[in-house]
């Protein structure tokens, strides 16, 4: 990118502006999240009537490191729709024109040698006392610039060089490019939840979808060490680190299912194993969620994708908990989930081959269509509370930097008894 001495970033947030009475709360949350995300870059974040701004603390142009840091990190802040680097000016025609004239040669650098460069300006006048209306500002600059730079061609519908000008009472901002972010709601603006995070493709995408609605997440993964490889935890820790870039960071917990899986293997009919494992996973997740004050569970289940995700099986799994279970991928095609996974940079990690708990003692042909009462009858052969207790003893918190575990020693009794 050719060097343009940008000294302000204008950030737009669409959906938030519609939130009526909650608006202030959402804006404050967004501002906090932006500050947190941009910490260490020596910048200042502030808001003013429906916009968020970033400037360097000394009001000097951003350094290339600041430009890179802001570009990369801001894209991951939910709640922002788009942002643009800009040049700050006093809100008078003379000052705006002087700024544009000074920097226009830099704006044109990337079109060197080109003729008929499609140009337009889009002006927005926030302060109605400004002497010219938006259209007249646009016409003025078209006249000035087209006469000075014959390589420009006015193109109102499809401009390549689009100069945006925003005039407000206290400043004017001149921007070129608009960087799209994901929109949604700021992290922490709705309730907290626990994601059942496997090493697969879907659950990280499900987590990301829920984060985009402002839900703050903690993560729980099930492994079956020594039947699953030791590499599984560092892999899930890496997924969590990537996902945490999109939210106020959450914790990763791990639970070892191996002993309980052996009991199920030795006690119950083989074809029910997968469903029984999953009902157990849900009950353990519910207990952890209640203990940590998290209000819902999130999974990457998608209707019809695998044997455990037929409608009947989903129902059977669902009946193991009273908690709200959010399944944002339920109606999503795998291709689309993969597209998101690539975009949010979890795909490569998920794709690393690594067996997880579901594959341990897998039945040759898992049941896909069993009525609930058959499953419940099979489960009656087990002492469920004892199994949950046994697994819960293994719940640990995972160090996200290393993938090492620390047992959670102070396991309190949840307020609500698991089923
Ligand atoms: P994923 O790609 O997320 O693993 P999947 O398509 O492979 O999903 P399943 O293996 O049936 O489907 O898992 C469905 C959901 O159950 C997962 O998306 C995840 O939320 C949860 N889940 C499965 N295995 C585990 C595990 N080992 N630890 C935590 N959650 C799990
Ligand atoms: Mg899986």
């Amino acid at each position: 990118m050719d060097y343009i001495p940008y000294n302000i970033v204008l950030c737009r947030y669409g959906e938030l502006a519609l939130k009526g009475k909650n608006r202030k709360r959402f804006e404050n949350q967004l501002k906090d999240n932006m500050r947190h995300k941009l910490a260490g870059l020596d910048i200042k974040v502030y808001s003013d009537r429906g916009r968020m701004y970033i400037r360097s603390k000394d009001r000097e142009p951003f350094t290339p490191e600041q430009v890179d840091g802001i570009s990369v990190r801001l894209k991951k802040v939910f709640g922002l729709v788009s942002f643009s680097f800009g040049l700050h000016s006093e809100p008078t025609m003379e000052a705006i024109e002087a700024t544009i004239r000074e920097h226009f040669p830099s704006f044109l650098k990337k079109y060197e040698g080109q003729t008929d460069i499609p140009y337009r300006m889009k002006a927005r006048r926030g302060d109605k006392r400004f002497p010219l209306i938006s259209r007249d500002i646009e016409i003025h600059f078209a006249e000035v610039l087209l006469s000075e730079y014959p390589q420009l061609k006015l193109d109102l519908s499809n401009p390549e060089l689009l100069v945006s000008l925003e005039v407000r009472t206290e400043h004017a901002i001149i921007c070129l490019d608009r960087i799209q972010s994901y929109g949604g709601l700021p992290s922490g603006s709705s309730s907290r939840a626990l994601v059942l995070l496997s090493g697969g493709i879907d659950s990280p995408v499900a987590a990301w979808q829920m984060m985009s609605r402002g839900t703050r997440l903690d993560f729980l993964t099930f492994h079956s060490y020594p039947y699953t490889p030791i590499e599984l935890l560092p892999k899930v820790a890496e997924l969590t680190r990537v996902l945490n870039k999109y939210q106020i960071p959450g914790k990763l917990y791990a639970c070892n299912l191996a002993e309980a899986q052996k009991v199920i293997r030795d006690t119950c009919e083989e074809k029910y194993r997968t469903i029984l494992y999953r009902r157990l996973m849900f009950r353990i997740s519910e207990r952890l969620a209640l203990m940590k004050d998290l209000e819902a569970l999130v999974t990457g289940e998608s209707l019809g994708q695998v044997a455990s995700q037929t409608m009947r099986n989903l129902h059977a799994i669902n009946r193991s908990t009273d908690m709200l279970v959010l399944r944002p991928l339920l109606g999503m095609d795998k291709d689309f989930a993969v597209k998101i996974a690539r975009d949010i940079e979890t795909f490569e990690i998920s794709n690393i081959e690594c067996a997880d708990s579901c594959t341990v003692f897998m039945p040759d042909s898992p049941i896909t269509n069993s009525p609930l009462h058959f499953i419940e009858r099979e489960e009656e052969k087990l002492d469920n509370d004892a199994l949950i207790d046994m697994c819960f003893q293994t719940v640990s918190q995972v160090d996200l930097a290393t993938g090492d575990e620390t047992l959670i020693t102070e396991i309190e009794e949840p307020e609500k008894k698991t089923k």
Side-chain angles (χ1 to χ4, degrees), residues 326-341:
L326 301 167
R327 298 178 170 90
L329 268 51
L330 199 65
M332 191 186 283
D333 276 357
K334 188 77 181 185
D335 286 352
F336 196 57
V338 167
K339 188 169 170 294
I340 297 177

Side-chain angles (χ1 to χ4, degrees), residues 195-206 220-224 232 236 255 257 274 278 281-282 285 298-302 305-309 314 317 326 329 334 350 356-359:
V195 188
L196 282 72
L197 187 68
S198 71
I201 292 168
D202 296 328
S203 42
V205 175
L220 170 60
T221 193
F222 294 96
H223 63 91
S224 309
L232 188 59
V236 180
C255 174
L257 275 189
T274 312
R278 300 187 60 75
M281 281 186 188
F282 268 47
S285 307
V298 178
T299 77
E301 287 160 317
S302 173
Q305 198 179 84
V306 289
S308 61
Q309 296 172 20
L314 281 174
I317 295 164
L326 301 167
L329 268 51
K334 188 77 181 185
S350 295
D356 76 4
S357 275
C358 295
T359 58

Side-chain angles (χ1 to χ4, degrees), residues 335-349:
D335 286 352
F336 196 57
V338 167
K339 188 169 170 294
I340 297 177
R342 284 187 196 280
D343 191 40
I344 65 175
E345 294 167 356
T346 54
F347 182 78
E348 296 285 315
I349 309 165

Side-chain angles (χ1 to χ4, degrees), residues 44 52 133 193 212-213 256 292 348 357 369:
K44 190 170 157 34
M52 233 29 108
I133 60 167
S212 80
R213 302 310 300 165
N256 190 338
K292 299 288 173 191
E348 296 285 315
S357 275
N369 209 12

Side-chain angles (χ1 to χ4, degrees), residues 223-238:
H223 63 91
S224 309
Y225 187 77
Y227 303 98
T228 52
I230 193 87
E231 294 79 29
L232 188 59
L233 279 189
K235 176 183 170 180
V236 180
E238 199 182 342

Side-chain angles (χ1 to χ4, degrees), residues 157-252:
S157 50
N158 220 358
E160 231 176 87
L161 175 54
L162 173 67
V163 177
S164 304
L165 169 68
E166 194 163 298
V167 189
R168 294 203 161 191
T169 316
E170 65 292 349
H171 64 219
I173 297 178
I174 300 137
C175 308
L176 288 189
D177 301 311
R178 199 176 265 236
I179 304 171
Q180 293 299 323
S181 4
Y182 292 108
L185 300 172
S187 174
S189 61
S190 52
S191 300
R192 300 180 59 169
L194 182 68
V195 188
L196 282 72
L197 187 68
S198 71
I201 292 168
D202 296 328
S203 42
V205 175
W208 186 83
Q209 291 281 136
M210 292 319 303
M211 289 192 288
S212 80
R213 302 310 300 165
T215 311
R216 245 186 98 182
L217 301 173
D218 286 320
F219 307 85
L220 170 60
T221 193
F222 294 96
H223 63 91
S224 309
Y225 187 77
Y227 303 98
T228 52
I230 193 87
E231 294 79 29
L232 188 59
L233 279 189
K235 176 183 170 180
V236 180
E238 199 182 342
L239 283 171
T240 305
R241 281 203 304 272
V242 171
L243 291 167
N244 269 343
K245 291 185 184 161
Y246 294 89
Q247 66 161 357
I248 303 164
K251 297 189 176 105
L252 170 64

